[in-house]
Amino acid sequence: MNTMVTAMREPGWRKPSVLPGFGLGMGITIFWMGLIILLPLAFLVWHSSNQSLDDFVQAALLDRRVLHAYWISLSSSVVAAVINTVLGTIVAWTLVRYRFPGHRLLDAMVDLPFALPTAVSGIALTSLLAGNGALGQWLEQAGIRVAFTQLGIIAALTLITMPFVVRSVQPAVENLQHELEEVAASMGASRITILRQIVLPTLLPSILTGMTLAFARALGEYGSVIFIAGNLPFRTEIAPLLIVIKLEQFDYMGATAIATTIMIVSLLLLLLINSMLAWQRRRGQGN
Amino acid sequence: MITPSRIQQPAQHELPLALQDSNLLRYSLIAVSVGFLLIMLLAPLLIVFGYAFKAGLGAYFAAITEPAAVSAIRLTLLTALICVPLNTIFGIAAAWAICKFEFRGKSLLISLIDLPFSVSPVIAGLVFVILFGAQGTFGPWLQANDIQVIYAVPGIILATLFVTFPFVARELIPLMQALGNADEEASLSLGANGWTTFYRVTLPNIKWGLLYGVILCNARAMGEFGAVSVVSGHIRMQTNTMPLHVEVLYNEYQFTAAFAVASLLALLAVVTLVMKVLIEGRLSTSAK
């Protein structure tokens, strides 16, 4: 409230400060961000708006192969995000609340998918899950083929986006107010009821944030997927791969059209995350 | 993300009785978590090292010292050496402007810094191809002046700059926001100038967070695949970085060699994680 009053009283867009270096810091920030990120992305949008609308719709929305690729990317990303939402929440809970041998090591290893280059994850997962792989041969005997099917794409996306939900839910579990659980227990609620009715609703905003981040990342993922997918058009070809294929055929227009469509979906997701975080903050202040 | 507020929580047996889950629930949740993490994290890592050394140490060292591998390692190091310092300077400048001052549009600026995280790496590469590629907007001009960006090293560096852009800023912003301005204000009121204040007051406060951001930035710079793959052209001995070299070897069915080079990248990832744990320890002791 206080800051709002001062902001209203101060004309101009910045509050005065005794610290130096705003101009330099902001100058470097705007220059570098403009040069490396904003100008190139703005150019991409401009480039795709230069095409006739018909060509754009034809290339991005009406081509059957492209539509299949969207569907494969979208459905695989949703499934991977849901798997990670369920298992990631369990992992976050386990890592914060329970102690067991190797607990520290596992906690540290959660970030491995962020640190391991995606191509390395891709070839390792393919070797693990291929028909003659360590895990794949057992699954094959059970009649489940993972490598070179959509299951393989889902496995790769699950691996790559695994840290998002865990790392977003972990601090929320740490910040849970123990009193609420204690009061509920003293009033006779069973442990399961407490987990379902008190713990889970409190964690929900963080769970949703993690899920959206995981989904957004999965949608654009390329490196880990192309090794395990088999890349059959209409069956296991993801949208980012189609961009690469179009580029290799020097079909810049087709590539740009698909890229713009994916980017719009991603930006909408980013907006969703930000408004969700704002909602979370407001809720936090309300309490 | 590392913030100084992450302090170790009490373990289950130290929690009040009312907060303890039943043994059945506890053991089944631990089993699910450990199983999931072992299959998803440990198994791929073991496979990389297992396959890399399958044909013996001799084959391993032959694979990582052959000319194409050495050239890939050199290009990867060069790329990181250029991209990490540039994005580190940007990260410090952005964190200073965002955390030390109040201005309108701050949250928009933070969202824009995060933008590369929500752009597919393939699209990051594509952007530079349509700008500088042979049939791109500036392609004819570049060709006339005999400058090659796409399918050459400058393109790889541009694409890597794009994808590693947010890492340092993202680590520093929450840290510097938590630290506040009091130390810097005290230093200035005692007569130190801006640069001295930064070197003597701010930098020691943020050094571990900064180091962690740099390490993450470096891991991504060395490991980036999608964006670099689009602009590289996969020219052996010229535009293959380590991840691209791994791909080429794998697609040629040279599995031992592919996993040998991949094991170097996996080692980098493991070192990154170890550094993270060490830095987190530093941060939580300095926060107490």
Side-chain angles (χ1 to χ4, degrees), chain A residues 3 20 28 49 54 58 62 99 102 108 118 151 163 197 201 209 213 221 239 259 272 281 287:
Chain A
T3 51
I28 294 176
S49 68
D54 275 357
Q58 192 67 42
L62 291 180
R99 291 294 172 272
T118 51
L151 281 181
Q197 304 217 338
T209 307
L213 286 171
E221 176 57 22
L272 188 73
R281 267 196 301 274
N287 291 341

Side-chain angles (χ1 to χ4, degrees), chain B residues 3 49 163 166 169 173 178 203 211 228 285:
Chain B
T3 52
F49 288 107
V163 293
I173 289 170
L203 206 55
L211 181 64
V228 170
T285 44

Side-chain angles (χ1 to χ4, degrees), chain A residues 7 10 12-15 17-22 24-26 28-30 32-33 36-38 40-41 43-44 46-47 83-84 87-88 90-91 93-100 103-104 106-113 115-121 123-128 132-135 155 158-159 162 167 170 173-175 178 181-182 185 191-192 194-195 216-217 220-223 226-227 240 243-244 247 250 252 255-256 259-260 262-263 266-267 270 274, chain B residues 6-13 15-16 18-22 25-26 29-30 32-34 36-45 47-48 51 86-87 89-90 93-94 96-97 100-104 109 111-123 126-131 133-138 151 158 161-162 165 181 184-185 188 194-195 212 219-220 222-226 229-230 243 246-247 250-251 258-259 262 265-266 269-270 272-273 276-277:
Chain A
E10 293 290 343
W13 61 293
R14 168 166 95 82
K15 281 211 291 187
S17 164
V18 292
L19 295 178
F22 179 77
L24 182 66
M26 194 52 109
I28 294 176
T29 306
I30 300 290
W32 195 238
M33 185 161 71
I36 298 295
I37 308 294
L38 295 184
L41 283 182
F43 179 81
L44 178 74
W46 178 77
H47 187 83
I83 293 174
N84 273 327
L87 291 177
I90 292 176
V91 169
W93 178 263
T94 308
L95 287 179
V96 176
R97 284 289 173 98
Y98 307 150
R99 291 294 172 272
F100 51 91
H103 152 270
R104 279 271 179 102
L106 279 188
D107 193 358
M109 277 185 64
V110 166
D111 286 319
L112 189 67
L116 200 64
T118 51
V120 179
S121 307
I123 63 170
L125 206 58
T126 311
S127 303
L128 180 69
N132 55 2
L135 202 62
T158 307
L159 168 71
M162 199 265 285
R167 288 306 187 219
Q170 236 175 343
V173 177
E174 283 169 1
N175 291 333
H178 292 170
E181 286 172 63
E182 284 178 305
R191 191 64 194 148
I192 294 292
I194 297 174
L195 290 181
R217 169 74 199 264
E221 176 57 22
Y222 172 74
I226 54 162
F227 294 101
I243 297 179
V244 174
L247 271 181
F250 294 101
Y252 287 7
T256 315
T260 312
I262 298 182
M263 235 176 56
S266 304
L267 284 182
L270 190 74
N274 279 351
Chain B
R6 276 200 65 189
I7 307 162
Q8 275 299 312
Q9 288 285 305
Q12 168 84 11
H13 58 270
L15 286 172
L19 266 66
Q20 294 190 9
D21 299 327
S22 70
L25 181 65
R26 189 160 82 235
L29 290 187
I30 290 178
V32 169
S33 299
V34 171
F36 179 56
L37 294 182
L38 286 186
I39 292 177
M40 279 293 165
L41 302 176
L42 198 62
L45 207 56
I47 281 197
V48 171
Y51 278 50
L86 286 173
N87 279 336
I89 293 171
F90 155 76
W96 181 269
K100 299 295 175 194
F101 303 91
E102 288 301 324
F103 55 91
R104 239 180 267 167
L109 189 61
S111 305
L112 284 178
I113 289 176
D114 277 347
L115 198 58
F117 279 145
S118 46
V119 173
S120 168
V122 169
I123 297 179
L126 163 85
V127 168
F128 294 107
V129 174
I130 58 170
L131 270 170
Q135 292 168 40
T137 308
F138 298 109
Y151 304 149
L158 279 174
L161 280 175
F162 187 105
F165 176 83
N181 288 356
E184 282 83 4
E185 281 163 8
L188 286 168
W195 287 111
Y212 183 52
R220 183 70 192 266
M222 291 188 168
E224 176 54 26
F225 178 76
S229 155
V230 171
V246 169
E247 184 202 13
Y250 189 85
N251 288 341
F259 279 104
L265 291 166
V270 172
T272 303
L273 290 189
K276 184 199 167 185
V277 172

Side-chain angles (χ1 to χ4, degrees), chain B:
Chain B
M1 195 194 312
I2 291 186
T3 52
S5 60
R6 276 200 65 189
I7 307 162
Q8 275 299 312
Q9 288 285 305
Q12 168 84 11
H13 58 270
E14 295 159 6
L15 286 172
L17 203 59
L19 266 66
Q20 294 190 9
D21 299 327
S22 70
N23 280 344
L24 177 67
L25 181 65
R26 189 160 82 235
Y27 290 134
S28 38
L29 290 187
I30 290 178
V32 169
S33 299
V34 171
F36 179 56
L37 294 182
L38 286 186
I39 292 177
M40 279 293 165
L41 302 176
L42 198 62
L45 207 56
L46 289 180
I47 281 197
V48 171
F49 288 107
Y51 278 50
F53 290 105
K54 211 175 188 176
L57 272 177
Y60 179 82
F61 284 110
I64 60 173
T65 52
E66 56 127 353
V70 172
S71 142
I73 293 170
R74 197 173 287 156
L75 180 57
T76 293
L77 291 177
L78 173 76
T79 308
L81 214 60
I82 293 173
C83 296
V84 176
L86 286 173
N87 279 336
T88 302
I89 293 171
F90 155 76
I92 295 172
W96 181 269
I98 286 170
C99 303
K100 299 295 175 194
F101 303 91
E102 288 301 324
F103 55 91
R104 239 180 267 167
K106 187 189 269 196
S107 54
L108 176 71
L109 189 61
I110 296 178
S111 305
L112 284 178
I113 289 176
D114 277 347
L115 198 58
F117 279 145
S118 46
V119 173
S120 168
V122 169
I123 297 179
L126 163 85
V127 168
F128 294 107
V129 174
I130 58 170
L131 270 170
F132 303 121
Q135 292 168 40
T137 308
F138 298 109
W141 184 85
L142 288 171
Q143 245 164 10
N145 289 282
D146 210 20
I147 306 169
Q148 183 121 31
V149 176
I150 300 305
Y151 304 149
V153 177
I156 293 174
I157 288 168
L158 279 174
T160 308
L161 280 175
F162 187 105
V163 293
T164 59
F165 176 83
F167 282 92
V168 177
R170 222 187 138 80
E171 286 307 317
L172 285 184
I173 289 170
L175 181 63
M176 276 168 77
Q177 259 167 352
L179 287 168
N181 288 356
D183 290 358
E184 282 83 4
E185 281 163 8
S187 156
L188 286 168
S189 74
L190 291 170
N193 70 22
W195 287 111
T196 313
T197 302
F198 176 75
Y199 275 117
R200 294 282 184 84
V201 179
T202 311
L203 206 55
N205 277 339
I206 61 168
K207 63 182 173 197
W208 296 114
L210 179 64
L211 181 64
Y212 183 52
V214 169
I215 289 167
L216 280 185
C217 184
N218 179 64
R220 183 70 192 266
M222 291 188 168
E224 176 54 26
F225 178 76
V228 170
S229 155
V230 171
V231 296
S232 135
H234 293 82
I235 307 165
R236 228 190 168 97
M237 305 287 288
Q238 282 182 40
T239 62
N240 270 350
T241 61
M242 286 167 77
L244 298 179
H245 187 57
V246 169
E247 184 202 13
V248 169
L249 291 172
Y250 189 85
N251 288 341
E252 288 171 353
Y253 301 103
Q254 301 188 41
F255 293 130
T256 308
F259 279 104
V261 179
S263 76
L264 296 178
L265 291 166
L267 198 64
L268 172 76
V270 172
V271 169
T272 303
L273 290 189
V274 171
M275 297 285 276
K276 184 199 167 185
V277 172
L278 293 178
I279 292 168
E280 238 166 14
R282 285 279 176 171
L283 270 174
S284 64
T285 44
S286 66
K288 273 171 197 165

